[in-house]
Coordinates of all heavy atoms in Angstrom, one line a residue:
Chain A
A50 N -26.1 -14.9 7.2 CA -25.6 -16.3 7.2 C -25.7 -16.9 5.8 O -24.9 -17.7 5.4 CB -26.3 -17.1 8.2
K51 N -26.8 -16.5 5.1 CA -27.0 -17.0 3.7 C -26.0 -16.5 2.7 O -26.0 -16.9 1.6 CB -28.4 -16.7 3.3 CG -29.4 -17.5 4.1 CD -30.9 -17.1 3.7 CE -31.9 -17.7 4.6 NZ -33.1 -17.0 4.7
T52 N -25.2 -15.5 3.1 CA -24.3 -14.9 2.1 C -22.9 -15.3 2.3 O -22.0 -14.8 1.6 CB -24.3 -13.3 2.3 OG1 -23.7 -13.0 3.5 CG2 -25.7 -12.8 2.3
V53 N -22.7 -16.2 3.2 CA -21.3 -16.7 3.4 C -21.2 -18.1 3.8 O -21.3 -18.5 5.0 CB -20.5 -15.7 4.3 CG1 -21.1 -15.5 5.7 CG2 -19.0 -16.1 4.5
G54 N -21.1 -19.0 2.8 CA -21.0 -20.4 3.1 C -19.6 -20.9 2.6 O -18.9 -20.2 2.0
K55 N -19.3 -22.2 2.9 CA -18.1 -22.8 2.5 C -18.3 -24.2 2.2 O -19.3 -24.8 2.6 CB -17.0 -22.6 3.6 CG -17.4 -23.3 4.9 CD -16.2 -23.4 5.9 CE -16.6 -24.2 7.0 NZ -15.6 -24.7 7.9
P56 N -17.4 -24.8 1.4 CA -17.6 -26.3 1.1 C -17.7 -27.1 2.3 O -17.0 -26.8 3.3 CB -16.4 -26.6 0.2 CG -15.9 -25.3 -0.3 CD -16.3 -24.3 0.7
G57 N -18.6 -28.1 2.3 CA -18.8 -28.9 3.5 C -17.9 -30.2 3.5 O -16.9 -30.3 2.8
T58 N -18.4 -31.2 4.3 CA -17.7 -32.4 4.5 C -18.1 -33.4 3.4 O -19.2 -33.4 2.9 CB -18.1 -33.0 5.8 OG1 -17.9 -32.0 6.8 CG2 -17.2 -34.2 6.2
W59 N -17.1 -34.2 3.0 CA -17.4 -35.2 1.9 C -16.5 -36.5 2.2 O -15.5 -36.4 2.9 CB -17.1 -34.7 0.5 CG -15.7 -34.2 0.3 CD1 -15.2 -33.0 0.6 CD2 -14.7 -34.9 -0.4 NE1 -13.9 -32.9 0.3 CE2 -13.5 -34.0 -0.4 CE3 -14.5 -36.2 -1.0 CZ2 -12.3 -34.4 -0.9 CZ3 -13.3 -36.5 -1.5 CH2 -12.2 -35.6 -1.5
S60 N -17.0 -37.6 1.7 CA -16.3 -38.9 1.9 C -15.5 -39.3 0.7 O -14.3 -39.3 0.7 CB -17.3 -40.0 2.3 OG -18.0 -39.6 3.4
D61 N -16.2 -39.7 -0.4 CA -15.5 -40.1 -1.6 C -15.9 -39.3 -2.8 O -15.4 -39.5 -3.9 CB -15.6 -41.6 -1.8 CG -17.1 -42.0 -1.7 OD1 -17.9 -41.2 -1.6 OD2 -17.3 -43.3 -1.8
Q62 N -16.9 -38.5 -2.7 CA -17.4 -37.7 -3.8 C -17.2 -36.2 -3.5 O -17.9 -35.6 -2.8 CB -18.9 -37.9 -4.1 CG -19.2 -39.3 -4.5 CD -18.7 -39.7 -5.8 OE1 -18.5 -38.8 -6.7 NE2 -18.3 -41.0 -6.0
P63 N -16.1 -35.6 -4.1 CA -15.8 -34.2 -3.7 C -17.0 -33.2 -4.0 O -17.2 -32.2 -3.3 CB -14.6 -33.8 -4.6 CG -14.1 -35.1 -5.0 CD -15.1 -36.1 -5.0
L64 N -17.8 -33.6 -5.0 CA -18.9 -32.6 -5.3 C -20.0 -32.6 -4.1 O -20.7 -31.6 -4.0 CB -19.7 -33.1 -6.6 CG -18.9 -32.8 -7.9 CD1 -19.7 -33.3 -9.1 CD2 -18.6 -31.3 -8.0
A65 N -20.0 -33.6 -3.3 CA -20.9 -33.6 -2.1 C -20.6 -32.4 -1.2 O -21.4 -32.0 -0.4 CB -20.8 -34.9 -1.4
A66 N -19.4 -31.9 -1.3 CA -19.0 -30.7 -0.5 C -19.8 -29.5 -0.8 O -19.9 -28.5 0.0 CB -17.5 -30.4 -0.6
F67 N -20.4 -29.5 -2.1 CA -21.1 -28.3 -2.5 C -22.7 -28.6 -2.4 O -23.4 -27.8 -3.0 CB -20.7 -28.0 -4.0 CG -19.3 -27.7 -4.1 CD1 -18.4 -28.6 -4.5 CD2 -18.8 -26.4 -3.8 CE1 -17.0 -28.4 -4.6 CE2 -17.5 -26.1 -3.8 CZ -16.6 -27.1 -4.2
Q68 N -23.0 -29.6 -1.7 CA -24.4 -29.9 -1.5 C -24.7 -29.9 0.0 O -23.8 -30.1 0.8 CB -24.8 -31.3 -2.0 CG -24.6 -31.4 -3.5 CD -24.7 -32.8 -4.0 OE1 -24.4 -33.7 -3.3 NE2 -25.1 -33.0 -5.3
D69 N -26.0 -29.6 0.4 CA -26.3 -29.6 1.8 C -26.8 -31.1 2.2 O -26.7 -32.0 1.3 CB -27.4 -28.6 2.1 CG -28.7 -28.8 1.3 OD1 -28.9 -30.0 0.8 OD2 -29.5 -27.9 1.2
G70 N -27.2 -31.2 3.4 CA -27.6 -32.6 3.9 C -28.6 -33.3 3.0 O -28.6 -34.5 2.9
S71 N -29.5 -32.5 2.4 CA -30.6 -33.1 1.6 C -30.2 -33.3 0.2 O -31.1 -33.7 -0.6 CB -31.9 -32.3 1.7 OG -31.6 -31.0 1.3
G72 N -28.9 -33.0 -0.2 CA -28.5 -33.3 -1.5 C -28.7 -32.1 -2.5 O -28.4 -32.1 -3.7
E73 N -29.3 -31.0 -1.9 CA -29.5 -29.8 -2.7 C -28.2 -29.0 -2.9 O -27.3 -29.0 -2.0 CB -30.5 -28.8 -2.0 CG -31.9 -29.4 -1.9 CD -32.6 -29.3 -3.3 OE1 -32.5 -28.3 -4.0 OE2 -33.2 -30.4 -3.6
W74 N -28.0 -28.4 -4.1 CA -26.7 -27.7 -4.3 C -26.8 -26.4 -3.5 O -27.8 -25.8 -3.3 CB -26.6 -27.3 -5.8 CG -26.4 -28.4 -6.7 CD1 -27.3 -29.1 -7.4 CD2 -25.1 -29.1 -6.9 NE1 -26.7 -30.2 -8.1 CE2 -25.4 -30.2 -7.7 CE3 -23.8 -29.0 -6.4 CZ2 -24.4 -31.1 -8.1 CZ3 -22.9 -29.8 -6.8 CH2 -23.1 -30.9 -7.6
K75 N -25.6 -26.1 -2.9 CA -25.5 -24.8 -2.1 C -24.4 -23.9 -2.6 O -23.5 -23.4 -1.9 CB -25.3 -25.1 -0.6 CG -24.1 -26.0 -0.3 CD -23.8 -26.0 1.2 CE -22.5 -26.7 1.4 NZ -22.0 -26.7 2.8
L76 N -24.4 -23.8 -3.9 CA -23.4 -23.0 -4.6 C -23.4 -21.5 -4.3 O -22.4 -20.9 -4.1 CB -23.4 -23.2 -6.1 CG -23.0 -24.6 -6.6 CD1 -23.2 -24.7 -8.1 CD2 -21.5 -24.8 -6.3
Q77 N -24.7 -21.0 -4.2 CA -24.8 -19.6 -4.0 C -24.1 -19.0 -2.7 O -23.3 -18.1 -2.9 CB -26.3 -19.2 -4.0 CG -26.5 -17.7 -4.1 CD -28.0 -17.3 -4.0 OE1 -28.9 -18.2 -4.1 NE2 -28.3 -16.1 -3.7
P78 N -24.4 -19.6 -1.6 CA -23.6 -19.1 -0.4 C -22.1 -19.2 -0.5 O -21.4 -18.4 0.0 CB -24.2 -19.9 0.8 CG -24.9 -21.0 0.2 CD -25.3 -20.6 -1.2
I79 N -21.7 -20.3 -1.2 CA -20.2 -20.5 -1.3 C -19.6 -19.4 -2.2 O -18.6 -18.8 -1.9 CB -19.9 -21.9 -1.8 CG1 -20.3 -22.9 -0.8 CG2 -18.4 -22.0 -2.1 CD1 -20.2 -24.4 -1.2
L80 N -20.3 -19.2 -3.3 CA -19.9 -18.1 -4.3 C -19.9 -16.7 -3.6 O -19.0 -15.9 -3.8 CB -20.7 -18.1 -5.5 CG -20.5 -19.3 -6.5 CD1 -21.5 -19.3 -7.6 CD2 -19.1 -19.3 -7.1
L81 N -21.0 -16.5 -2.8 CA -21.0 -15.2 -2.1 C -19.9 -15.1 -1.1 O -19.4 -14.0 -0.9 CB -22.4 -15.1 -1.4 CG -23.6 -14.8 -2.4 CD1 -24.9 -14.9 -1.7 CD2 -23.4 -13.5 -3.1
G82 N -19.6 -16.2 -0.4 CA -18.5 -16.2 0.5 C -17.2 -15.8 -0.2 O -16.4 -15.0 0.4
M83 N -17.0 -16.4 -1.3 CA -15.8 -16.0 -2.1 C -15.9 -14.5 -2.5 O -14.9 -13.8 -2.5 CB -15.7 -16.9 -3.4 CG -15.4 -18.3 -3.0 SD -15.9 -19.5 -4.3 CE -14.6 -19.3 -5.5
G84 N -17.1 -14.1 -2.8 CA -17.3 -12.7 -3.2 C -16.9 -11.7 -2.0 O -16.3 -10.7 -2.2
W85 N -17.2 -12.1 -0.8 CA -16.9 -11.3 0.4 C -15.4 -11.1 0.5 O -14.9 -10.0 0.8 CB -17.4 -11.9 1.7 CG -18.8 -11.6 2.0 CD1 -19.9 -12.5 2.0 CD2 -19.4 -10.4 2.4 NE1 -21.0 -11.9 2.4 CE2 -20.8 -10.6 2.6 CE3 -18.9 -9.1 2.5 CZ2 -21.7 -9.6 3.0 CZ3 -19.8 -8.1 2.9 CH2 -21.1 -8.3 3.1
V86 N -14.6 -12.2 0.2 CA -13.2 -12.1 0.3 C -12.7 -11.2 -0.8 O -11.8 -10.3 -0.6 CB -12.5 -13.5 0.1 CG1 -11.0 -13.4 0.1 CG2 -13.0 -14.5 1.1
G87 N -13.2 -11.3 -2.0 CA -12.8 -10.4 -3.1 C -13.1 -9.0 -2.8 O -12.3 -8.1 -3.0
L88 N -14.3 -8.8 -2.1 CA -14.7 -7.4 -1.7 C -13.7 -6.8 -0.7 O -13.3 -5.7 -0.8 CB -16.1 -7.4 -1.2 CG -16.7 -6.1 -0.7 CD1 -16.8 -5.1 -1.9 CD2 -18.0 -6.3 0.0
V89 N -13.4 -7.6 0.3 CA -12.5 -7.2 1.4 C -11.2 -6.8 0.8 O -10.6 -5.7 1.1 CB -12.4 -8.2 2.5 CG1 -11.2 -7.9 3.4 CG2 -13.7 -8.4 3.3

Side-chain angles (χ1 to χ4, degrees):
Chain A
K51 290 177 189 151
T52 72
V53 56
K55 61 171 188 165
T58 309
W59 58 280
S60 304
D61 52 2
Q62 296 294 331
L64 285 181
F67 301 97
Q68 294 170 333
D69 59 20
S71 57
E73 291 289 314
W74 291 101
K75 54 167 190 177
L76 287 175
Q77 192 184 341
I79 295 173
L80 288 171
L81 288 171
M83 293 157 77
W85 277 112
V86 179
L88 179 67
V89 166

